[in-house]
């Protein structure tokens, strides 16, 4: 909410600056987001004292004066005001100053006399409609002082972020209560300028709902919807003259960012911002049938509201109606038809409390939010209604010449006082340090609570009706902590016990995979996980945009879009990975929401490594890189598991398996890509494919002490025979002396017939305890070759 | 001259001398540089050393050591440059050794991940492990169990993306608190990092999905002072010694609630556009776990107390790297990640 510095001072005459008050409120109860100085258009105006004044030689109504504006030299100023007098101070605009409205003061000649500035009237400064002359100031401030520093026109607006549980702070009185408690300065209700006595013109509420009083019969007020309206009070105020507000009232309304409308409406807005009590003034003459009924609307009813919009009502809404039709939507907005205007003489002033949930539902349905609905939704104090209605009526007497007020009240019975138990031991337990009973007593009392009873550890704390948020001990403990001052609690670390919760296994797995991907030169992405199309079960009900209405089922969906984004920005080389959530076709058994899996995925395209002068055109990433990354990611996700890439059909290149269970895939990615783009490859691994992934650590194998022997075998292999089959056959025939087997060459062309290829393997043999003999290996090799021929019909390549 | 001024002058000389030496490209220029810096007659180092006797006796020893350190750095730089200059730069008939190295692609973690892992590391020292939970949740886990009143203005703080009548994308990682307390007995000390969702339009400072880190501690005998101490400790570790401030706040699942701010990293408290002229930056929402939350998961709220906190690592990352627009974190632009990923 917006608060005015000066308005707050009407309630508590504190000594702090606007920023000081901002800091105080922030540390105690509600953060002040900003302090905005008002009337900065007057910042160039200074105090000028007239030290000489003589009639202008050539004019009957002009004066030639000398003005001291604190600069050591006197300014010659020609002035036309009859009230100029020597020794008096006035607001002074020197040459170069810009007045509100944009007029820039220049040095000029008036009837032959030089004038070096201007003594200003209230109107010229936008401070009122005073035409009587220039603005004589009763101030002892030195000439040259800033006008804004001397006169209380330099208000500041505080933008206060009131928390949803503190409706009591949505008014100047509420904020002032906290300031009063913090500063020790008493809180009081601002006296009404021009008002002689409190409660003037009021008649006590009678027994029935009909207001008593003189003159015309006051309307009958009937509350049919007591659930939607726990308390409805009204005052019939007669004899008002609707006119512009006096300056003090208009400036209060403007100080919080409002617009002064007329004296009657401004009084209702004063009550809203000043005391948090929304009020509404109906033109009594325009309420038909001399009846006011608080009831549910009917579905056929409509109302043109104050903003000029015709609104369709329904029976979920509470309205204020006359004998015929709705005249206001309860707690939200008034109707155009009974709006106060310049011909209004009698008004019905409403001060009510409407049900928070009802107001919230109504204004949501209507799609509007008003200052009134904002407060009713959060809770308006029932108890203060009569007082505030009396205060407002008094203000109408003062500012609009009202002559009488007659009151009705639907629920005059006071609420039973409410109290909540507070244990001193519980305070100490939750806060971690004790707070004394004396401190609790004085701090809580300062903001409206009271100790109803209590001895020893247990206190009964009375809760004021304006604090609906305090319903149990814990809220009182927050009050105790808050009023003690958060800054006054210790911040020394104390010993702690370790917790019982182990690290989530998926968190550890993700860390391993992330480390592996980073080491492989990939960059991590954290893109938005929404996609354009999908299955109904993955649809967000209320998406922000239709092109991101679905949850993704694959991370590659997101990464492909990111790769396209890079290509669109002419980034030819893309290598991204992500570890994140995807949503499957299943439903989670507990929640019924789409089931989730953590996947790791990568996309690569373009140069495999940076260009160098030794390699100006590095090779592009290809499917073998992708296959390698799949094994890398799979091994990091499932340490110790056997990660295999099984050739697959369709869009896929390989299916990735972990211990023979499907765990992901490698594919060539179809992108919306420019012609120059290199082929893109995608890898996606389901990190939940193995639940028992962590294998026992492998035991140590002695580092070989004996030399190895290597044999290269170039074989002519039909295209129809997979290399993996050849490898298996070699291993079977080679026996346990074969330490490793590596495919190191593929060749097609001269010397190799069509449909065949030459594949070359390097076989490494080693005996753990002795040096191998040449003959021994030759024998093994011959055995392997004959086995290959027998099993697969494959022969050694001849050169 | 005070010791501070003395050391400051040494520092300044250190920096300017190294630049001067590096810029010398002939033996003659290098000799000039040597004379100017450590020459016997007019060297700048000698000039600074003349102030040694003016220092307090107990400070002289330290000052002397600092002089020696700077002198040896400068001498090493002179020697290195001398050999490069003597080699005539670099000329070798076979190879030009100024040509660039062969590089590998640099991989890296996303800046938000970097922040999350740093936060985890600091809290790990304070006994916190990491817990995870689902992103698609029920209303009960996301709101009811966390004491959100139904139909209350507080719900407006969480504009929710719904998947079904009762299912939604979690608006905070707080459901992980609930799931953890259901599964493990106190004492509990966990961090819960993860993605959360809000129905916010994607603009320079908002995103419909963003990362959050929450922490939860539940035990006997822990109170508001421990929360304050822990978060203060974190701020000093994460940002370097810094001013902090705690102010009242409101969250349905904590009471008392507090917001922790650190002094603005950009203006150091004097007010700037990054901190909206407040001089402070909001880091943590926090508070004592509301007894109703403990009761909702069957923890004895009279015996055990708890505290919780939450922060946005994206904001911390934006602050750290001076990012003007949150969308940079989602675009996955290679040029951005090459620069920032770590
Ligand atoms: Zn700042």
């Amino acid at each position: 909410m917006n608060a005015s510095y000066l308005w707050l001072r009407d309630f508590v005459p504190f000594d702090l600056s606007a920023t000081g008050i901002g800091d105080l409120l922030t540390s105690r109860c509600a953060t002040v987001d900003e302090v905005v100085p008002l009337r900065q258009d007057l910042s160039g105006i200074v105090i000028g004292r007239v030290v000489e004044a003589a009639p202008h030689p050539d004019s009957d109504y002009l004066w030639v004066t000398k003005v001291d504006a604190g600069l050591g030299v006197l300014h010659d100023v020609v002035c036309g005001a009859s009230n100029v007098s020597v020794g008096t101070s006035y607001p002074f605009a020197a040459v170069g100053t810009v007045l509100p409205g944009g007029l820039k003061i220049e040095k000029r000649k008036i009837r032959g006399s030089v004038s070096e500035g201007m003594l200003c009237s209230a109107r010229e400064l936008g401070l009122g409609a005073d035409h009587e002359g220039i603005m004589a100031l009763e101030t002892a401030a030195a000439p040259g002082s800033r006008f804004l520093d001397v006169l209380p026109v330099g208000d500041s607006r505080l933008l206060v972020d009131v928390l949803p549980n503190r409706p009591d702070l949505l008014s100047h009185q509420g904020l002032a209560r906290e300031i009063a408690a913090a500063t020790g300065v008493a809180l009081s209700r601002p006296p009404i300028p021009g008002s002689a006595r409190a409660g003037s013109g009021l008649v006590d509420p009678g027994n029935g709902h009909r207001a008593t009083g003189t003159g015309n019969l006051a309307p009958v007020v009937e509350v049919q919807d007591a659930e939607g309206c726990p308390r409805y009070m009204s005052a019939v105020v007669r004899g008002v003259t609707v006119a512009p507000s006096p300056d003090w009232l208009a400036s209060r309304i403007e100080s919080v960012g409002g617009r002064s409308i007329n004296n009657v409406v401004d009084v209702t807005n004063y009550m809203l911002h000043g005391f948090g009590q929304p009020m509404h003034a109906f033109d009594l003459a325009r309420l038909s049938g001399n009846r006011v009924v608080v009831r549910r609307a009917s579905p056929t009813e409509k109302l043109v509201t104050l903003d000029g919009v015709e609104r369709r009502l329904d029976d979920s809404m509470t309205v204020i109606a006359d004998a015929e039709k709705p005249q206001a939507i309860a707690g939200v907005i008034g109707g155009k038809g009974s709006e106060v205007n310049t011909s209004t003489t009698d008004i019905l002033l409403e001060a009510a409390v409407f049900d928070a949930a009802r107001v919230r539902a109504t204004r949501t349905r209507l799609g509007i939010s008003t200052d009134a609905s904002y407060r009713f939704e959060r809770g308006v104090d029932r108890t203060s209604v009569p007082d505030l209605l009396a205060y407002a009526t008094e203000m109408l007497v003062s500012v609009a010449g009202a002559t009488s007020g007659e009151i009705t009240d639907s629920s005059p019975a006071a609420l039973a006082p409410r109290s909540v138990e507070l244990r001193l031991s519980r305070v100490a337990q939750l806060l971690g340090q004790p707070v004394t009973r004396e401190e609790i007593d004085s701090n809580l009392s300062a903001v409206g609570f009271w100790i109803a009873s209590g001895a020893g550890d247990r206190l009964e704390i009375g809760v004021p009706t304006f604090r609906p948020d305090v319903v149990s001990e814990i809220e009182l403990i927050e009050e105790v902590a808050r009023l003690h001052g958060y800054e006054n609690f210790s911040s020394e670390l104390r010993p702690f016990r370790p917790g019982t919760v182990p690290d989530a296994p998926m968190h550890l797995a993700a860390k391993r995979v992330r480390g592996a991907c980073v080491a492989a030169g990939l960059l991590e992405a954290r893109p938005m996980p929404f996609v354009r199309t999908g299955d109904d079960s993955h649809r967000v009900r209320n998406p922000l945009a239709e092109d991101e209405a679905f949850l993704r089922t694959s991370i590659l969906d997101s990464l492909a879009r990111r790769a396209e984004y890079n290509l669109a920005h002419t980034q030819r080389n893309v290598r991204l990975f992500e570890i994140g959530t995807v949503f499957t076709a299943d439903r989670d058994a507990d929640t019924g929401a789409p089931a989730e899996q953590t996947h790791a995925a990568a996309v690569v395209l373009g140069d495999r490594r940076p260009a160098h002068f030794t390699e100006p055109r590095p090779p592009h990433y290809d499917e073998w890189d992708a296959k390698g990354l799949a094994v890398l990611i799979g091994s990091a996700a499932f340490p110790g598991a056997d990660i295999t890439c099984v050739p697959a059909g369709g869009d896929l290149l390989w299916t990735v398996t972990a211990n023979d269970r499907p765990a992901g895939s490698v594919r060539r990615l179809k992108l919306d890509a420019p012609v120059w783009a290199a082929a893109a490859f995608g890898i996606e691994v389901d990190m939940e494919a193995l639940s028992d992934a962590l294998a026992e650590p492998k035991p140590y194998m002695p580092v070989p002490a004996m030399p190895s022997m290597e044999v290269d075998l170039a074989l002519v292999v039909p295209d129809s025979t997979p290399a993996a089959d050849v490898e298996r056959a070699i291993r079977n025939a080679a026996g346990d002396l074969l330490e490793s087997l590596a495919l190191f060459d593929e060749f097609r062309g001269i010397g190799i017939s069509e449909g065949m290829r030459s594949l070359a393997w390097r076989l490494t043999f080693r005996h753990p305890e002795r040096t191998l003999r040449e003959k021994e290996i030759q024998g093994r090799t011959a055995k392997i070759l004959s086995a290959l021929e027998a099993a697969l019909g494959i022969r050694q390549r001849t050169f | 001259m005070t010791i501070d001024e003395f050391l400051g002058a040494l520092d300044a000389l250190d920096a300017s001398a190294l630049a001067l030496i590096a810029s010398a490209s002939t033996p003659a220029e290098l000799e000039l540089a040597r004379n100017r810096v450590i020459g016997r007659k007019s060297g700048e180092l000698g000039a600074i050393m003349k102030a040694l006797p003016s220092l307090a006796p107990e400070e002289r020893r330290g000052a002397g050591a600092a002089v020696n350190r700077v002198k040896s750095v400068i001498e090493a730089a002179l020697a290195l440059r001398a050999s490069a200059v003597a080699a005539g730069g670099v000329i070798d008939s076979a190879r030009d050794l100024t040509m660039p190295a062969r590089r590998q692609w640099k991989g890296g973690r996303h800046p938000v991940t970097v922040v999350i892992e740093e936060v985890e590391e600091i809290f790990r020292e304070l006994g916190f492990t990491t817990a995870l939970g689902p992103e698609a949740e029920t209303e009960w886990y996301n709101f009811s169990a966390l004491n959100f009143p139904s139909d209350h203005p507080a719900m407006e703080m969480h504009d929710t993306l719904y998947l079904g009548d009762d299912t939604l994308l979690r608006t905070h990682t707080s459901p992980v608190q609930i799931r953890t307390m259901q599964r493990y007995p106190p004492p509990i000390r966990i961090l819960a990092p993860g993605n959360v969702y809000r129905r916010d339009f994607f603009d320079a400072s908002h995103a419909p999905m963003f990362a959050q880190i929450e922490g939860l501690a539940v035990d006997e005998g822990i109170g508001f002072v421990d929360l304050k101490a822990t978060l203060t400790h974190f701020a000093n570790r994460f940002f370097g010694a810094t001013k902090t401030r705690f102010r009242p706040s409101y969250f349905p699942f904590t009471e008392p609630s507090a917001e922790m701010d650190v002094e603005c990293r950009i203006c150091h408290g004097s007010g700037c556009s990054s901190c909206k002229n407040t001089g402070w930056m909001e880091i943590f929402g926090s508070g004592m776990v509301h007894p109703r939350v403990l009761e909702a998961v069957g923890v004895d709220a009279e015996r055990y107390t708890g505290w919780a906190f939450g922060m946005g690592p994206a904001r911390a990352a934006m602050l750290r790297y001076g990012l003007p627009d949150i969308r940079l974190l989602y675009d996955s632009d290679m040029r951005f990640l090459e620069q920032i990923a770590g």
Side-chain angles (χ1 to χ4, degrees):
Chain A
M1 84 160 244
N2 290 346
S4 140
Y5 172 75
L6 293 177
W7 200 343
L8 289 172
R9 285 192 55 176
D10 287 351
F11 284 92
V12 202
F14 50 77
D15 275 336
L16 292 160
S17 68
T19 45
I21 283 298
D23 291 344
L24 184 150
L25 291 172
T26 298
S27 70
R28 278 180 71 95
C29 56
T31 299
V32 174
D33 290 329
E34 211 179 335
V35 177
V36 185
L38 300 179
R39 293 314 310 264
Q40 289 308 293
D41 53 348
L42 297 181
S43 60
I45 310 292
V46 297
I47 303 301
R49 183 180 295 153
V50 173
V51 295
E52 279 178 32
H56 193 287
D58 296 333
S59 166
D60 289 342
Y61 61 94
L62 289 178
W63 295 80
V64 178
T65 68
K66 286 195 182 294
V67 174
D68 175 4
L71 293 176
V73 293
L74 298 178
H75 303 258
D76 291 315
V77 176
V78 177
C79 171
S82 57
N83 67 331
V84 65
S85 73
V86 172
T88 305
S89 292
Y90 303 93
F92 176 66
V95 170
T97 307
V98 178
L99 291 184
L103 176 69
K104 186 173 177 182
I105 304 297
E106 284 166 5
K107 184 171 176 174
R108 60 193 182 116
K109 275 194 169 176
I110 299 172
R111 295 267 178 105
S113 298
V114 172
S115 187
E116 303 170 312
M118 183 169 141
L119 296 165
C120 306
S121 71
R123 191 169 56 90
E124 282 154 347
L125 299 182
L127 293 172
D130 184 1
H131 301 278
E132 305 285 309
I134 53 177
M135 193 174 171
L137 303 173
E138 289 173 22
T139 176
S145 309
R146 266 165 44 102
F147 178 72
L148 282 181
D149 296 340
V150 174
L151 256 83
V153 296
D155 200 356
S156 290
R157 183 181 301 153
L158 287 79
L159 275 47
V160 191
D161 183 10
V162 175
L163 299 162
N165 62 329
R166 291 297 303 272
D168 62 303
L169 299 181
L170 289 171
S171 71
H172 285 76
Q173 177 181 251
L175 294 170
R177 186 182 294 119
E178 291 282 347
I179 297 170
T183 57
V185 181
L187 175 73
S188 63
R189 194 169 282 180
I192 297 167
S195 174
R197 59 209 158 91
S200 54
L202 286 181
V203 175
D204 280 346
N207 296 333
H209 289 164
R210 176 179 293 261
T212 55
T214 53
N216 298 328
L217 215 53
V220 176
V221 178
E222 186 189 351
V223 177
Q224 290 175 357
D225 182 11
E227 187 199 330
C229 177
R231 185 169 204 171
Y232 195 91
M233 289 193 71
S234 67
V236 172
V237 182
R238 298 187 194 278
V240 299
T241 306
V242 177
S245 287
D247 290 344
W248 70 265
L249 179 54
S251 79
R252 286 288 173 264
I253 301 301
E254 282 158 8
S255 69
V256 295
R259 191 168 56 87
S260 172
I261 294 168
N262 59 46
N263 48 6
V264 173
V265 174
D266 286 1
V267 165
T268 63
N269 283 327
Y270 184 97
M271 297 310 292
L272 181 141
H273 295 287
F275 296 92
Q277 173 68 59
M279 289 193 183
H280 186 65
F282 297 91
D283 184 339
L284 195 55
R286 292 158 83 183
L287 296 179
S288 81
N290 214 30
R291 269 170 68 82
V292 171
V293 187
V294 183
R295 60 164 170 84
R296 295 291 187 104
S298 86
T300 54
E301 286 178 316
K302 289 177 186 164
L303 176 66
V304 177
T305 48
L306 286 172
D307 50 6
V309 179
E310 186 182 75
R311 308 208 177 251
R312 303 165 68 87
L313 309 178
D314 65 45
D315 58 8
S316 73
M317 302 172 183
T318 303
V319 292
I320 318 304
D322 58 17
E324 290 169 17
K325 56 182 187 296
Q327 293 291 356
I329 301 169
V332 181
I333 192 167
K336 196 92 186 153
S338 51
E339 184 181 12
V340 170
N341 61 36
T342 45
S343 62
T344 303
T345 56
D346 296 346
I347 59 174
L348 181 87
L349 181 62
E350 164 193 293
V353 176
F354 298 108
D355 179 65
R358 181 76 54 81
V359 170
R360 181 174 165 72
T362 301
R363 74 103 181 136
T364 309
R365 272 180 101 83
L366 294 174
I368 44 172
S369 178
T370 59
D371 283 334
S373 69
Y374 192 85
R375 283 163 179 80
F376 283 122
E377 274 181 66
R378 284 157 178 79
V380 166
D381 181 21
R382 238 180 102 155
T383 307
S384 59
V385 180
D387 257 10
L388 295 179
L389 184 61
Y391 186 87
T393 309
E394 188 188 341
M395 197 177 283
L396 284 172
V397 170
S398 163
V399 305
T403 54
S404 68
E406 306 137 35
I407 285 179
T408 69
D409 188 351
S410 72
S411 325
L415 293 175
R418 195 162 62 85
S419 69
V420 170
E421 185 185 76
L422 179 69
R423 291 164 295 168
L424 297 175
S425 58
R426 184 71 169 160
V427 170
Q429 180 196 18
L430 270 151
L431 300 184
Q433 73 180 53
V435 180
T436 64
R437 180 185 163 142
E438 291 67 35
E439 183 189 325
I440 290 174
D441 190 356
S442 82
N443 281 349
L444 286 181
S445 311
V447 291
F449 296 87
W450 64 95
I451 296 193
S453 65
D457 192 40
R458 285 164 193 269
L459 308 177
E460 274 299 321
I461 306 290
V463 180
T465 52
F466 56 79
R467 290 301 303 270
D469 59 310
V470 176
V471 294
S472 63
E473 186 179 40
I474 194 69
E475 290 89 18
L476 280 175
I477 292 173
E478 175 167 74
E479 287 300 290
V480 170
R482 196 173 68 71
L483 297 168
H484 181 72
Y486 284 2
E487 69 276 16
N488 296 323
F489 285 93
S490 155
S491 37
E492 282 293 308
L493 278 173
R494 302 197 294 184
F496 57 86
R497 296 201 287 174
T500 59
V501 187
D503 275 313
M506 185 52 68
H507 178 68
L508 301 175
K511 259 188 134 104
R512 292 192 303 269
V513 170
R514 187 176 293 117
C517 289
V518 168
L522 306 183
L523 293 164
E524 187 181 18
R526 297 182 72 108
M528 207 58 78
F530 300 110
V531 291
R532 200 169 300 149
T533 55
D535 188 77
D536 254 6
S537 61
H538 289 114
R539 201 182 142 75
V540 176
R541 286 225 175 151
N542 53 341
L544 280 158
E546 278 308 315
D547 63 354
E548 46 191 43
F550 293 90
L551 301 174
R552 65 183 177 184
T553 55
S554 145
I555 291 185
L556 279 179
D557 262 7
S558 308
L559 290 186
R561 301 292 85 77
R562 296 299 95 212
E564 287 165 356
Y565 174 92
N566 276 288
L567 289 170
H569 290 79
T570 60
Q571 296 299 294
R572 294 159 183 271
N573 304 318
V574 178
R575 31 178 231 291
L576 295 169
F577 78 96
E578 186 196 342
I579 301 163
T581 301
V582 301
F583 297 84
T584 74
D586 299 330
R587 296 263 145 194
D588 184 277
D590 294 333
T591 64
E596 293 170 39
Q597 285 175 348
T598 303
H599 282 195
V603 53
V604 287
L605 74 99
D607 294 349
R608 191 186 293 168
R609 49 184 172 264
H612 186 247
F613 66 89
T614 57
E615 189 185 40
R617 294 181 171 281
H620 283 167
Y621 279 110
D622 62 15
E623 56 268 51
W624 307 109
D625 293 306
K627 189 179 183 185
L629 285 170
V631 173
L632 180 84
I633 292 171
S635 306
F638 313 113
D642 172 36
I643 308 298
T644 306
C645 292
V646 182
D651 291 343
L652 301 186
L653 291 164
W654 291 279
T655 297
V656 182
T657 63
N659 289 348
D660 297 327
R661 296 166 68 121
S665 61
V666 181
R667 70 183 67 209
R668 191 183 283 268
L669 274 185
K670 293 194 189 84
L671 298 182
D672 180 3
V675 285
W676 46 258
F681 298 90
I683 303 101
E684 180 145 0
V685 171
D686 169 9
M687 294 180 56
E688 295 173 38
L690 287 187
S691 51
D692 48 354
L694 283 171
E696 291 292 309
K698 285 186 180 157
Y700 161 74
M701 299 285 286
V703 175
M706 297 297 147
S708 63
M709 287 190 73
E710 288 174 357
V711 174
D712 288 353
L713 282 185
L715 304 171
V716 181
V717 181
D719 285 349
S720 57
T721 304
D725 291 3
V726 181
E727 287 202 359
R728 202 172 302 121
I730 295 173
R731 282 186 195 281
N732 286 341
D736 55 6
L737 292 184
L738 179 68
E739 186 181 71
S740 69
L741 174 63
L743 177 69
F744 70 91
D745 187 43
E746 180 186 36
F747 175 79
R748 289 170 209 267
I750 300 164
I752 307 293
S753 42
E754 189 67 21
M756 307 287 268
R757 59 198 163 138
S758 161
L759 295 176
W761 275 271
R762 176 159 298 162
L763 289 69
T764 305
F765 293 95
R766 195 194 304 270
H767 193 286
E769 277 145 17
R770 60 176 174 79
T771 305
L772 291 168
R773 291 186 303 271
E774 190 74 30
K775 268 194 137 171
E776 199 174 0
I777 296 310
Q778 281 170 3
R780 290 266 159 176
T781 307
K783 197 177 151 204
I784 291 167
L785 286 171
S786 60
L788 282 172
E789 177 142 22
L792 300 168
I794 289 173
R795 289 192 187 172
Q796 200 165 7
R797 181 179 170 193
T798 50
F799 292 91
Chain B
M1 197 180 245
T2 68
I3 181 76
D4 283 348
E5 286 164 352
F6 185 85
L7 294 177
L10 267 185
D11 279 348
L13 174 64
D14 188 353
S16 66
L18 293 184
L20 185 68
I21 291 165
S23 70
S25 54
T26 65
E29 283 175 11
L30 193 59
E31 198 46 37
L32 267 166
R34 177 192 305 277
N35 281 332
R36 212 174 117 189
V37 180
I38 54 171
R40 268 176 220 286
K41 285 185 187 152
S42 57
E44 291 173 18
L45 185 61
I48 294 174
M49 283 168 66
K50 289 207 178 83
L52 260 180
S54 72
L55 297 176
E58 67 274 17
E59 290 167 346
R60 279 182 213 153
R61 170 184 275 249
V67 167
N68 287 335
R69 206 157 46 235
V70 168
K71 195 173 175 192
S72 67
V73 166
I74 291 171
E75 279 170 346
L78 282 166
L80 191 68
R81 191 66 197 163
S83 65
V85 168
V90 278
I91 305 309
D92 172 325
S93 58
R95 279 172 299 192
D96 174 355
L97 297 180
T98 63
M99 290 174 79
R102 181 177 289 126
R103 292 181 304 122
Q104 296 299 314
W105 288 134
K106 185 175 78 83
R109 294 166 300 160
H110 192 276
V112 167
T113 307
V114 171
V115 169
I116 291 174
E117 293 194 347
E118 259 184 63
V119 172
E120 283 175 349
E121 209 161 299
I122 294 168
F123 278 104
R124 185 159 292 269
E125 293 165 14
L126 299 172
F128 286 76
T129 52
T130 299
L132 302 175
E135 293 175 18
E137 271 290 7
T138 62
E139 276 200 317
W140 190 81
Y141 277 107
N142 196 75
F143 291 127
S144 313
L146 290 159
N147 193 41
F148 273 75
S150 57
D151 190 37
H152 187 272
M155 299 279 277
E156 272 172 21
M157 293 152 73
H158 292 245
D159 220 338
T160 310
L161 289 167
Y162 278 90
L163 299 174
D165 292 339
D166 177 47
T167 51
L168 45 80
L169 290 165
R170 67 180 178 191
T171 60
H172 45 192
T173 50
S174 315
V176 181
Q177 293 185 21
I178 302 298
R179 290 178 176 278
T180 301
M181 288 190 285
Q182 283 178 326
R183 189 162 165 206
Y184 296 96
I188 287 171
R189 287 173 90 81
I190 54 145
L191 277 193
N195 290 338
V196 303
Y197 300 79
R198 301 271 170 96
R199 201 167 182 281
D200 272 335
F201 283 98
F202 203 14
D203 62 25
S205 47
H206 299 89
M209 186 280 288
F210 53 95
Q212 195 179 56
I213 310 177
E214 280 210 1
L216 170 72
V218 180
D219 200 354
E220 285 177 76
I222 62 172
F224 186 73
V225 293
D226 301 297
L227 166 66
K228 191 181 169 197
T230 305
L231 299 191
T232 305
H233 173 82
F234 170 84
N236 285 316
R237 284 291 306 276
F238 190 81
F239 295 105
T242 183
K243 272 194 210 157
T244 55
R245 139 181 122 162
F246 283 75
R247 56 193 163 86
S249 190
Y250 170 75
F251 306 101
F253 44 103
T254 56
E255 187 100 31
S257 301
E259 207 87 47
M260 189 191 81
D261 302 333
V262 299
E263 192 176 72
C264 174
R265 314 310 301 157
I266 304 207
C267 66
H268 299 283
S270 59
C272 68
S273 61
S274 293
C275 59
K276 293 186 187 130
N277 277 316
T278 60
W280 296 97
M281 293 200 151
E282 190 178 313
I283 300 298
F284 282 116
S286 69
M288 299 301 296
V289 178
H290 200 293
R292 279 203 285 276
V293 174
L294 296 173
E295 284 155 14
V297 290
V299 170
D300 181 349
E302 282 287 311
R303 180 174 165 196
Y304 294 103
T305 47
W307 38 266
F309 54 89
M311 73 173 283
R315 255 179 62 83
M318 289 176 75
L319 211 60
R320 168 175 296 183
Y321 301 105
L323 307 182
D325 190 320
I326 201 172
R327 288 171 289 202
L328 285 166
L329 294 171
Y330 298 83
D331 286 344
S332 317
D333 190 313
M334 293 296 291
R335 295 162 297 183
F336 170 78
L337 291 172
E338 295 261 15
Q339 249 189 69
I340 302 285

